[in-house]
Amino acid sequence: MSSGQFNAGQSRGGAQAKTEDWMESAKSTANAAHDKAADAANCTSGQAQQHKDESTGFLQQTGEQMVHMAQGAIDGVKNTLGVGDQKK
């Protein structure tokens, strides 16, 4: 084999090794980006569930307050009309 063929073979081998290194680097970067995206999605999902739970509690509390206010209004009307439960 001549030295020209040997050098061409070395260059091809070196280029192939660099290409493989770049491919591994690209795969590693893509995997890291995927992992970060998955972590962000999980974090967002957890926060959404927490806000949902907080909203449910707030709405339940507001509903209970509305029931109490309505009951108070009914009692006020009954007392005004004289049909309320009056214990003597």
Side-chain angles (χ1 to χ4, degrees), residues 24-83:
E24 285 300 315
S25 176
K27 285 179 186 177
S28 176
T29 302
N31 285 335
H34 176 269
D35 292 344
K36 284 185 179 182
D39 290 344
N42 287 337
C43 181
T44 302
S45 176
Q47 288 175 347
Q49 183 63 40
Q50 180 182 1
H51 290 304
K52 178 182 173 186
D53 293 343
E54 289 172 1
S55 295
T56 301
F58 172 76
L59 291 174
Q60 182 177 0
Q61 184 179 17
T62 302
E64 290 172 359
Q65 288 174 348
M66 293 295 290
V67 167
H68 293 299
M69 287 174 49
Q71 187 62 48
I74 290 171
D75 290 343
V77 170
K78 283 182 179 179
N79 288 337
T80 301
L81 297 177
V83 290

